[in-house]
């Protein structure tokens, strides 16, 4: 869970980049950017993801596929490739981390620019500014939006406005006084009073006998990057918060790298599974429809014996020359009259031959229809079994 406190912890991990030079910037996804940084003999990759679901910032050790067709990427490359990272800071205890960058050009001399990464879920953004904080460009433009500010080229960058208290660097006495004066007695009140506190952390704090003391100690403890079970799902934080640990990691970056790699892998598998399920359901529907049609054809084919009878009985009247729509003849099998439809374009013998041909065709088709019914039933059983296995997987 990335909240403001988590950002303050990972900032310390990113301090290793200070003094490094941005050699290359590339994009792997629509909202995912990587800064390739060289410091002394070491190479680092800083991943900034501004995805609404997976927003984060950390060092990455994965090989990410490059995509170079983004307008914002082109602006970043033009403006800060070759620049050095002078400093890295966070703002208050909010989910904002920013790089102070220094570079020089032959014509303009030494320049300072800022790159702000706002890791705020669906409001995530990356903003590049000049030294005076005039916005050069941002990934997302915004009029007077969520934080009552304007994010547009040539406007002044302003930090998100918050009236909440920054708990970082407060003493225990100060935190305890706030708990008492503000009557903080629930996780919701805690998140309303203090900035940068996720509900995951807030709920954990109120599991302790002394919430204010535990809050202070959590803010100041060393990191213990962990994934753990939380409300029947896998969650992460800079500490396991006394929850059941799944995995521990040497750094926050390694944890985030692996956690989101597994999330991405699961998402891809789910997408493929959804596609496979859709395909299977289409096949089931196809064979169900085919079986209905085949059974209708089988019912039609069962009338073949009637066509044979028509053909035989018409031969008992070979001298009937008049062309009619129908004729009544004696059925010598039961000594009853039977009405036989005729095609007026043909005489009696020709109509008889046509009925015989229908009989032969239907007789031949029955075997084929039954074979097709067996095949479709087998296919239907197979795809129903696959669907059942897929739902149980």
């Amino acid at each position: 869970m990335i909240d403001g406190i988590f950002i303050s912890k990972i900032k310390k991990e990113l301090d290793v980049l200070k003094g490094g030079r941005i050699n290359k910037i590339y994009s792997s996804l629509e909202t995912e950017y990587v800064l390739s940084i060289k410091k002394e003999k070491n190479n680092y990759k800083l991943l900034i993801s501004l995805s609404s679901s997976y927003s984060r910032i950390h060092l990455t050790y994965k090989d990410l596929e490059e995509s170079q067709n983004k307008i914002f990427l082109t602006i970043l490359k033009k403006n800060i490739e070759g620049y050095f990272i002078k400093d890295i800071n966070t703002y208050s205890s909010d989910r904002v981390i920013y790089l102070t960058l220094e570079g020089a050009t032959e014509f303009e001399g030494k320049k300072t620019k800022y790159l702000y990464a706002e890791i705020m879920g669906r409001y995530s953004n990356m903003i590049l500014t000049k030294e005076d904080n005039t916005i050069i460009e941002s990934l997302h433009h915004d009029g007077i939006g969520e934080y009552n500010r304007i994010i547009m080229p040539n406007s002044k960058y302003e930090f998100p406005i918050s009236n909440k208290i920054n708990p970082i660097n407060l003493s225990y006495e100060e935190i305890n006084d706030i708990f008492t004066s503000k009557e903080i007695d629930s996780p919701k009140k805690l998140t309303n009073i203090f900035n940068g506190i996720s509900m995951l952390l807030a709920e954990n704090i109120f599991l302790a006998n002394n919430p204010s003391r535990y809050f202070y100690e959590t803010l100041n403890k060393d990191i213990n990057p962990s994934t753990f079970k939380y409300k029947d799902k896998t969650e992460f934080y800079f500490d396991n918060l006394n929850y059941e640990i799944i995995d521990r990691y040497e750094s926050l970056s390694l944890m985030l790298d692996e956690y989101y790699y597994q999330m991405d892998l699961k998402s891809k598998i789910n997408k493929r599974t959804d596609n496979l399920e859709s395909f299977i359901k289409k096949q089931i529907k196809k064979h169900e429809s085919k079986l209905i049609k085949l059974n209708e054809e089988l019912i039609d084919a069962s009338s073949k014996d009637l066509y044979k009878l028509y053909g035989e009985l018409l031969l008992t009247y070979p001298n009937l020359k008049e062309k009619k729509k129908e004729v009544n003849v004696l059925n010598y099998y039961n000594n009853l009259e039977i009405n036989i439809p005729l095609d007026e374009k043909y005489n009696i013998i020709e109509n008889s031959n046509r009925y015989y041909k229908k009989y032969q065709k239907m007789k031949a088709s029955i075997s084929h229809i039954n074979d097709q019914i067996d095949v479709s039933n087998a296919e239907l059983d197979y795809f129903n079994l696959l669907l059942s296995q897929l739902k149980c997987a």
Side-chain angles (χ1 to χ4, degrees):
M1 176 71 71
I2 297 180
D3 56 15
I5 305 305
F6 188 98
I7 289 292
S8 71
K9 300 291 184 181
I10 203 166
K11 178 266 174 191
K12 296 177 182 178
E13 201 169 281
L14 300 183
D15 280 343
V16 69
L17 301 176
K18 290 180 182 180
R21 182 179 185 270
I22 301 172
N23 285 337
K24 181 180 179 182
I25 306 173
Y26 61 93
S27 173
S28 59
L29 296 172
E30 188 70 33
T31 55
E32 198 167 273
Y33 296 82
V34 178
L35 277 60
S36 179
I37 299 160
K38 178 141 180 109
K39 181 182 177 183
E40 298 170 351
K41 294 182 179 180
N42 298 313
N43 293 304
Y44 302 93
K45 289 185 292 186
L46 177 63
L47 172 66
I48 304 174
S49 174
L50 305 161
S51 160
S52 59
S53 302
Y54 299 155
S55 59
R56 63 198 190 276
I57 181 169
H58 59 89
L59 298 174
T60 183
Y61 308 93
K62 305 290 187 186
D63 292 324
L64 303 173
E65 185 178 346
E66 295 185 28
S67 173
Q68 299 288 353
N69 59 349
K70 310 293 188 301
I71 296 174
F72 185 59
L73 173 64
T74 303
I75 293 172
L76 288 178
K77 290 167 72 69
K78 178 182 176 182
N79 278 274
I80 60 173
E81 268 191 355
Y83 272 55
F84 289 85
I85 299 175
K86 181 182 178 182
D87 204 0
I88 301 176
N89 290 285
T90 58
Y91 172 67
S92 184
S93 53
D94 217 331
R95 291 170 293 171
V96 179
I97 192 164
Y98 61 99
L99 312 181
T100 303
L101 307 173
E102 283 191 348
T105 66
E106 183 179 350
F107 301 105
E108 297 180 329
K110 191 175 180 180
K111 288 284 185 180
T112 297
K113 294 176 183 176
Y114 297 101
L115 184 65
Y116 296 88
E118 300 183 346
I119 313 300
M120 297 179 170
R122 64 190 177 120
Y123 299 111
S124 293
N125 205 352
M126 183 156 53
I127 303 104
L128 178 65
T129 77
K130 299 177 183 178
E131 187 173 3
D132 64 357
N133 267 328
T134 300
I135 295 174
I136 298 171
E137 187 54 283
S138 61
L139 179 62
H140 303 299
H141 294 172
D142 195 4
I144 301 177
E146 178 70 13
Y147 295 98
N148 198 31
R149 57 188 181 146
I150 297 172
I151 304 295
M152 298 287 285
N154 299 317
S155 63
K156 287 282 187 177
Y157 174 77
E158 296 178 346
F159 287 108
I161 298 171
S162 174
N163 295 320
K164 297 180 182 180
I165 299 170
N166 175 8
I168 298 173
N169 299 326
L170 292 181
S171 67
Y172 166 63
E173 288 74 20
E174 289 171 319
I175 287 176
N176 191 53
D177 286 346
I178 294 170
F179 265 72
T180 303
S181 63
K182 300 290 186 179
E183 298 181 346
I184 301 175
D185 56 5
S186 70
K188 184 64 177 175
K189 277 192 177 181
L190 183 66
T191 60
N192 287 338
I193 299 297
F194 288 105
N195 200 26
I197 310 298
S198 62
M199 188 55 69
L200 180 150
L201 177 57
E203 288 180 352
N204 182 261
I205 287 166
F206 277 89
L207 294 176
N209 292 327
N210 187 339
S212 62
R213 168 65 69 178
Y214 182 70
F215 182 34
Y216 170 77
E217 290 174 351
T218 301
L219 291 175
N220 292 281
K221 66 166 51 175
D222 293 334
I223 65 169
N224 175 30
S226 308
T227 53
F228 47 85
K229 287 291 184 183
Y230 174 74
K231 294 185 176 180
D232 297 323
K233 66 177 183 178
T234 299
E235 193 52 88
F236 66 84
Y237 206 53
F238 68 84
D239 183 78
N240 71 298
L241 303 176
N242 298 317
Y243 291 113
E244 179 187 349
I245 292 177
I246 298 174
D247 281 306
R248 295 182 190 272
Y249 297 86
E250 292 181 6
S251 70
L252 296 173
S253 289
L254 282 170
M255 178 182 70
L256 292 174
D257 229 12
E258 183 60 25
Y259 180 86
Y260 283 105
Y261 171 78
Q262 294 297 332
M263 289 285 286
D264 183 56
L265 187 62
K266 185 178 179 181
S267 175
K268 288 176 179 176
I269 291 172
N270 287 340
K271 186 175 180 180
R272 289 176 184 173
T273 300
D274 289 343
N275 290 339
L276 180 58
E277 183 176 354
S278 176
F279 170 76
I280 291 172
K281 287 181 176 178
K282 284 180 181 178
Q283 293 301 309
I284 289 173
K285 186 175 181 180
K286 169 187 167 183
H287 287 288
E288 286 176 341
S289 298
K290 188 175 180 180
L291 278 171
I292 292 172
K293 185 176 179 181
L294 286 170
N295 280 302
E296 288 174 349
E297 290 177 0
L298 191 62
I299 292 171
D300 289 342
S302 65
S303 61
K304 64 180 176 54
D305 291 334
L306 181 61
Y307 293 144
K308 181 184 178 183
L309 177 64
Y310 285 172
E312 288 181 0
L313 296 180
L314 287 175
L315 289 177
T316 62
Y317 294 86
N319 298 321
L320 184 61
K321 303 299 181 183
E322 186 181 351
K323 294 180 179 180
K324 296 183 176 182
K325 289 185 178 181
E326 58 184 25
V327 63
N328 288 319
V329 300
L330 180 67
N331 181 354
Y332 46 75
Y333 289 104
N334 58 13
N335 289 322
L336 296 175
E337 280 197 348
I338 186 170
N339 182 271
I340 302 176
L342 300 175
D343 190 325
E344 292 181 285
K345 296 193 295 291
Y346 306 101
N347 59 35
I348 290 293
I349 300 299
E350 289 170 334
N351 270 285
S352 174
N353 289 336
R354 285 171 61 80
Y355 276 122
Y356 269 115
K357 285 180 180 178
K358 284 185 179 181
Y359 163 73
Q360 294 295 342
K361 184 178 180 181
M362 289 187 171
K363 181 179 178 182
S365 71
I366 286 177
S367 176
H368 176 71
I369 292 171
N370 282 323
D371 288 343
Q372 289 297 304
I373 288 175
D374 290 342
V375 169
S376 285
N377 275 321
E379 290 289 297
L380 198 55
D381 289 343
Y382 170 70
F383 284 113
N384 275 316
L385 177 61
L386 282 183
L387 184 61
S388 177
Q389 291 174 339
L390 193 63
K391 288 182 176 179
C392 292

